[in-house]
Amino acid sequence: MAGGKETPRQKMIGMMYLVLTALLALNVSNAVLEKFAIIDDTLVKMIEEDDKTNERKLAGILGSSSQDEKVIAAKKKAEEVRKLSKATVAYLDELKSKMKKEPDGAAIEGEELVTNTNRAEELMLDGQKPEEGIQFEKTITSYVNDLNKIMGLKTPFPKLTRKAEDFDEFKNNTNQLDKTFLQFTFEGTPTMAAIATVSQLQTEVMEYE
């Protein structure tokens, strides 16, 4: 299941996300934040569709009756990849749910969620050594490392914990280059934009699978 290129739809979503990120850096307006809510809704639907597609692909692989050693090995790898990806996506779903709640557990919903500018940053960067942020980075790093171990490809999957230097759009931005992965991802990021960022990452996990 692992491999393949971005579909035109995925490329379009990625481009829209980058454009909105650039707009966000210039002007944090409700209109921009509302667009992130729309983007997130689109990404969530894409994740659901990709999940169904990957389940069908796994079923097709496991449906082979061949006893060839290579086929048996492929089945085992496919199951391991599916299990790893589902667990990672589920963790990220849980993280988004936490971003939609205040520290006391009260839900942040509707317009209040769209206009919230601090909950995600507090959750992911509190004190610059945040438990939640550290677990997030560890989980994403482990996903790629474990996937590479399972597949053993000559060209490994690149990291998903990207910083400013990894993007053409930001590699010359002196205000961003000294930031850690967590700072670059969540510092000054309104909650709805942070949620969309995590959803975007989920689509990349599904793409890797």
Side-chain angles (χ1 to χ4, degrees), residues 15-200:
M15 182 59 68
M16 290 172 65
Y17 181 78
L18 282 174
V19 169
L20 284 175
T21 301
L23 288 173
L24 184 61
L26 297 173
N27 179 26
V28 183
S29 68
N30 286 359
V32 172
L33 297 179
E34 287 170 0
K35 297 299 186 300
F36 270 106
I38 295 172
I39 288 290
D40 182 64
D41 183 62
T42 302
L43 291 172
V44 169
K45 291 177 181 177
M46 182 187 296
I47 294 162
E48 292 173 352
E49 291 176 7
D50 287 346
D51 182 64
K52 292 177 182 178
T53 297
N54 289 351
E55 283 287 356
R56 288 195 296 269
K57 288 182 179 179
L58 176 62
I61 294 170
L62 298 181
S64 173
S65 59
S66 174
Q67 294 302 305
D68 184 274
E69 289 184 3
K70 291 184 178 179
V71 175
I72 293 174
K75 287 182 177 181
K76 181 180 178 181
K77 285 184 178 182
E79 287 184 299
E80 290 177 349
V81 169
R82 179 92 272 247
K83 181 179 179 181
L84 175 64
S85 297
K86 288 186 70 173
T88 304
V89 170
Y91 162 76
L92 294 174
D93 275 334
E94 183 180 347
L95 178 62
K96 290 192 292 185
S97 294
K98 291 180 180 179
M99 291 181 179
K100 297 177 183 179
K101 296 179 182 178
E102 297 287 4
D104 63 1
I108 309 173
E109 301 174 322
E111 186 68 16
E112 182 184 359
L113 177 61
V114 172
T115 58
N116 186 286
T117 59
N118 63 294
R119 176 55 183 149
E121 183 176 8
E122 289 177 353
L123 181 68
M124 305 304 289
L125 287 175
D126 185 27
Q128 298 302 312
K129 285 188 177 181
E131 179 178 339
E132 199 66 59
I134 291 172
Q135 182 59 44
F136 168 70
E137 184 169 4
K138 180 180 178 181
T139 299
I140 297 305
T141 301
S142 295
Y143 172 74
V144 177
N145 289 342
D146 291 346
L147 184 61
N148 282 326
K149 288 180 183 178
I150 293 170
M151 297 307 299
L153 301 175
K154 292 182 179 179
T155 303
F157 290 92
K159 65 181 181 179
L160 290 175
T161 51
R162 296 184 290 268
K163 300 186 291 184
E165 62 192 35
D166 299 309
F167 294 90
D168 289 339
E169 294 82 3
F170 298 102
K171 64 182 181 181
N172 294 319
N173 188 326
T174 56
N175 294 324
Q176 301 293 333
L177 288 176
D178 63 342
K179 292 184 178 181
T180 65
F181 163 68
L182 290 176
Q183 290 170 337
F184 176 66
T185 306
F186 297 108
E187 191 172 76
T189 302
T191 301
M192 196 65 248
I195 291 171
T197 296
V198 177
S199 292
Q200 170 70 14

